[in-house]
Amino acid sequence: MTEAFIVDAVRTPVGRRGGGLSQIHPADLGAHSLRALMDRTGIDPGAVEDVMFGCVDTVGGQAGDIARTCWLAADLPEHVPGTTIDRQCGSAQQAIHFAAQAVMAGVNDVVVAGGVQQMSMIPISSAMTLAADLGFDDPFTGSEGWVKRYGAGEVSQFNSAEMIAERWDCSREDMEAFAVESHERAIRATQEGRFEGEIAPLGGVVQDEGPREPNWEKIRSLKTLTEGGRVTAAAASQISDASAALLVVSEQGLSDHGLTPRARIHHMSVRADDPIWMLTAPIPATRHALERSGLSMDDIDLVEINEAFASVVLAWEKELAVDHAKVNVNGGAIALGHPLGATGARLMTTLLNELERTGGRYGLQTMCEGGGQANVTIIERL
């Protein structure tokens, strides 16, 4: 079995809801990263064998196989196909996995993986809410099998974040301090130019719009998301617009196209946990990945774990005894934003660049996903 290599990775800035990228059509948003990737690598776009893009809420401008639409909107060869992947928040990370699997199986030699999400135009959960007139208030009610197994209660990421905070004893103060640090890390990274090599400016936006100087008075004044709870909006990820794309190739692809790899995909797996708890799966998924790869957390130099909520990351750190100093060192989704279907590729792009900047060898990426799932990818810098 051949190995899978990452040749390059590029992303748009992450735009805030209603911000500088909010009026860019989803196809054009995704096309920008694809075109930038082709320009940066110098590869003949016609040599790409498939485009695998993550996206959630594939309605409106994100419907009709947005991966294919983005490629065509970028004025790239018509004979190259595309497929859209939905593993909820992990969609783009799963796209990277599928691309690597295709390469490792010898089915393809050159694949583009990534994701796109235009949350300003298409609000979160649109695929669910727009079906209300068809008789579906949510994906679960009415399923005899689901109700028999999990009951008829609300399935909510907000409830999950709150349950996690309680179970792992994450206080409101702990989560707010974590959120403030995320912003401070992201601001420092931006000021030091750490993101410049991975961002392709778009629409006059040259850097991520989410990070802001923390205002403790405002943070402490926020109401909790659930009555009597601990979690506030300050400790949750931001709604965002962005895209990202990576070039994944085989050894044969490297040779055929004269490409130099930046990283090797060392391990990839996905595991699942209780869907009502929803956001806990990174814990068993990371344990599984370390066991399968033969590595320990001591071997991992840097971690990117999606900050869907501060409680998710804090619980994961406690369970795995992870040194916080190597986790989301340039800030996470609380500061930088969480463009659902693109986040997995954004995290990988940032992880790759930070490994190179610091000289680290192994980087681990994981994220919680709807349905109680979590992908884990370990890359080795070359």
Side-chain angles (χ1 to χ4, degrees):
M1 181 181 292
T2 187
E3 293 188 296
F5 300 92
I6 299 173
V7 172
D8 211 343
V10 63
R11 66 180 180 91
T12 68
V14 180
R16 296 183 66 181
R17 178 173 57 178
L21 305 183
S22 63
Q23 298 305 306
I24 297 176
H25 190 283
D28 297 322
L29 185 61
H32 186 71
S33 289
L34 290 170
R35 184 73 263 173
L37 183 68
M38 296 299 100
D39 291 344
R40 285 168 59 123
T41 60
I43 193 170
D44 174 8
V48 175
E49 295 164 272
D50 209 350
V51 178
M52 302 179 180
F53 250 36
C55 189
V56 184
D57 293 318
T58 51
V59 297
Q62 293 177 168
D65 191 359
I66 187 66
R68 169 73 170 158
T69 312
C70 289
W71 182 263
L72 297 176
D75 197 26
L76 295 166
E78 286 186 334
H79 71 267
V80 177
T83 188
T84 302
I85 296 154
D86 180 357
R87 201 190 284 277
Q88 297 293 279
C89 296
S91 297
Q93 188 172 358
Q94 184 60 56
I96 296 168
H97 283 202
F98 281 155
Q101 288 164 1
V103 161
M104 294 169 72
V107 175
N108 299 129
D109 289 314
V110 181
V111 182
V112 169
V116 61
Q117 199 78 35
Q118 176 48 276
M119 299 181 77
S120 292
M121 288 184 178
I122 302 173
I124 185 172
S125 298
S126 288
M128 179 175 70
T129 58
L130 292 176
D133 290 342
L134 300 176
F136 295 94
D137 292 328
D138 60 61
F140 315 105
T141 303
S143 165
E144 293 181 3
W146 177 274
V147 172
K148 181 179 179 181
R149 186 168 188 179
Y150 295 109
E154 179 184 4
V155 181
S156 166
Q157 61 176 327
F158 305 113
N159 288 342
S160 174
E162 190 65 50
M163 290 191 298
I164 290 170
E166 292 177 7
R167 178 174 172 181
W168 277 274
D169 193 25
C170 305
S171 68
R172 174 171 176 163
E173 291 73 23
D174 291 338
M175 291 184 282
E176 289 175 344
F178 179 94
V180 164
E181 185 177 41
S182 182
H183 281 277
E184 291 174 342
R185 287 179 170 188
I187 291 169
R188 181 177 65 248
T190 301
Q191 292 173 341
E192 294 180 359
R194 297 187 190 181
F195 297 131
E196 288 180 1
E198 66 191 59
I199 290 178
L202 173 61
V205 181
V206 300
Q207 64 186 35
D208 302 309
E209 295 182 325
R212 55 189 180 273
E213 290 290 344
N215 181 333
W216 271 111
E217 183 178 356
K218 182 176 181 180
I219 290 170
R220 289 171 177 147
S221 71
L222 294 173
K223 292 183 179 180
T224 56
L225 299 180
T226 59
E227 187 69 28
R230 310 180 186 191
V231 181
T232 71
S237 56
Q238 296 186 45
I239 292 171
S240 311
D241 312 317
S243 73
L246 298 88
L247 187 62
V248 180
V249 303
S250 66
E251 294 170 281
Q252 186 65 48
L254 294 176
S255 176
D256 288 347
H257 303 286
L259 301 169
T260 301
R262 295 174 64 186
R264 179 182 68 87
I265 295 180
H266 181 77
H267 170 84
M268 52 189 171
S269 58
V270 59
R271 305 297 282 180
D273 207 355
D274 188 322
I276 304 302
W277 280 83
M278 193 185 297
L279 310 178
T280 57
I283 294 169
T286 301
R287 288 190 175 124
H288 172 79
L290 294 174
E291 181 180 350
R292 288 294 298 269
S293 66
L295 299 174
S296 71
M297 284 308 306
D298 289 338
D299 297 311
I300 304 299
D301 297 292
L302 292 170
V303 173
E304 286 289 335
I305 174 172
N306 191 41
E307 294 174 1
F309 296 88
S311 60
V312 172
V313 183
L314 290 171
W316 178 85
E317 288 182 347
K318 288 182 178 181
E319 281 288 325
L320 291 149
V322 180
D323 181 0
H324 180 64
K326 61 183 180 183
V327 177
N328 299 353
V329 298
N330 293 329
I334 289 173
L336 295 167
H338 179 20
L340 305 176
T343 295
R346 200 286 295 171
L347 293 176
M348 183 60 70
T349 301
T350 299
L351 179 61
L352 174 61
N353 279 270
E354 188 63 14
L355 279 174
E356 291 177 338
R357 189 187 75 83
T358 59
R361 180 180 180 184
Y362 289 114
L364 183 148
Q365 175 182 320
T366 188
M367 57 202 307
C368 56
E369 303 156 359
Q373 306 172 97
N375 285 68
V376 178
T377 317
I378 299 174
I379 62 172
E380 180 183 19
R381 180 185 63 85
L382 298 176

